[in-house]
Amino acid sequence: MGTNFYKLLFDISEALVADELAALKFLSLEHIPMRKLEAMQEPKAFFRELKEKGMIEAGNLSFLKELLFRINRIDLLETQLGSSRQEMERELQIPGRAKVSDYRQLLYGIAEDLTPEDVKCVKFLLQKQIPNSKLQDNASMLKVLLEMERKMLIKEDDLSMLKDILKGFRADIKKKIVTFEEQKKENDSKEKLHYPVPVSVHPARQRAESETRHLSMESYKMKNNPHGYCVILNNYIFKNACEVRQGTIEDGEAVKRVFEWLQFETVEHMDLEAKQIYEKVKTYSEKDHSNMDCFACFIFSHGEKDKIKGVDDQFVNIKDLVSCFSGSNCPSLAGKPKLFFIQACQGSVDHPPVTVKEDFSGHLEMDVTPLISIPDEADILVGMATVEHYKCYRCTDTGSVYIQCLCEKMKLLCPRGKDLLTILTEVSKEVGRKDLNGWKQMPKITSTLRKQLIFQIP
């Protein structure tokens, strides 16, 4: 990444004062965990974290532009980033472009609108709920709001306490909260998407079905932060030196960037023996997921039919791994989506080519691994890199075709409110179009999900 990019971040960081850094951190809370933000004492550390999470990069500074716009540093927006207030206003009106949630914008706007006397009133009325040490004179309204969130006194779907506090002396701000709640209620009702019911060719059924125009699809609840664990089991170095999986490190990094952005607690475990793979999965199934919405597991390795290969050349059954998360084995995730993504071949046959428009360059390797069957349980999805009997491909420089495409599609389509199955269909289309040194690859989706899974963008 060029020195000009880092020079730009340095110049912007030098122009920011402490209160502005606090504002940037507050507005980014849905992208960076609070514990990390609290440790940041200078803008450079904040920008470094945004870069590591893929939120800003040399070719994409849209989030940085939005942040500076939100804190009204229009001067930096114009001189350093070549944008303007008018341009940002137009840009942020486009659905999916804003990365700062309406909820976070509301709270920040409240903090900006309150006078010093108003803030004193808020602190006085919160004495029973928040320790005095957190309500000192030098505590800003943003810090007070953070403490209210930490103690679950306010959250996106429950702002009643904040309304009660403000109604006596700032009815205008209370009205803003009510407006936000009404808009959110309207938006939430749109989460139940409607699809036309196909018309049957049978005349009797046609008359019956014509009475029902739309089928309502429920969505899984995705309201917690973090939404759940994202566990990456990544086998790179094997006992047999010839089986080293070059490019798998890049896959792990790509998944971590995307799922941390999606507010998952992401953990990667490298180079596991077969027994250790099972033990890791079982350990996570035994955790309490009551305050979680979802579980995701990525497995990158070699293998055979129905099995994953450990670095010790031993195998573990995929069905045994998935079964750890059945309703009886993991009751705290019962009724919640459990996702497994496996980068591995399901055979040794090259997939014959079809007509495509673009080529794939780079050195390709294959991962020999499994065909999977899903236990007869609900709310489980398994995404495989390829259909049975065929190979899948991994570029030694940039990572696997499937995982890299999955991460790119999630970054693109999650902000647009697309559900996971729609995203995976797009992945299948994109991967299927690639020319892989004359061969093809087609991912496979096996799902018992009962609802739509839509990842909430912070």
Side-chain angles (χ1 to χ4, degrees), residues 1-17:
M1 199 170 286
T3 56
N4 289 341
F5 172 69
Y6 292 102
K7 178 67 163 57
L8 174 67
L9 296 183
F10 178 83
D11 291 342
I12 294 174
S13 67
E14 290 292 293
L16 296 170
V17 297

Side-chain angles (χ1 to χ4, degrees), residues 49 57 75 99 120 168 203 220 236 287 341 356 410 425:
E49 184 66 23
E57 51 193 7
D75 57 327
K99 297 298 185 291
K120 287 181 181 180
Y220 286 105
Y236 176 34
K287 289 181 179 289
F341 297 95
V356 293
M410 293 189 77
T425 302

Side-chain angles (χ1 to χ4, degrees), residues 150-166:
R150 196 194 310 270
K151 292 188 172 295
M152 303 297 288
L153 301 176
I154 57 171
K155 49 188 177 180
E156 185 173 1
D157 55 1
D158 186 4
L159 293 164
S160 55
M161 177 173 285
L162 192 55
K163 285 191 297 184
D164 289 342
I165 289 173
L166 294 171

Side-chain angles (χ1 to χ4, degrees), residues 27-32 55 63 66 95-105 156 191 222-225 227 257-264 407 409-419 423 453-458:
L27 291 170
S28 302
L29 251 177
E30 289 152 332
H31 299 278
I32 303 174
M55 295 300 297
F63 186 53
E66 180 181 353
R97 292 295 173 87
K99 297 298 185 291
V100 179
S101 70
D102 292 339
Y103 168 66
R104 191 88 11 217
Q105 291 177 48
E156 185 173 1
E191 285 189 8
M222 295 290 283
K223 300 294 184 183
N224 288 304
N225 186 2
H227 290 307
R257 283 194 298 270
V258 169
F259 275 78
E260 286 174 1
W261 166 57
L262 291 175
Q263 294 183 317
F264 279 73
C407 291
K409 291 298 182 183
M410 293 189 77
K411 287 192 294 184
L412 175 66
L413 298 176
C414 285
R416 300 180 185 178
K418 300 297 184 182
D419 67 282
I423 293 172
L453 178 52
I454 300 174
F455 293 100
Q456 300 299 315
I457 299 304

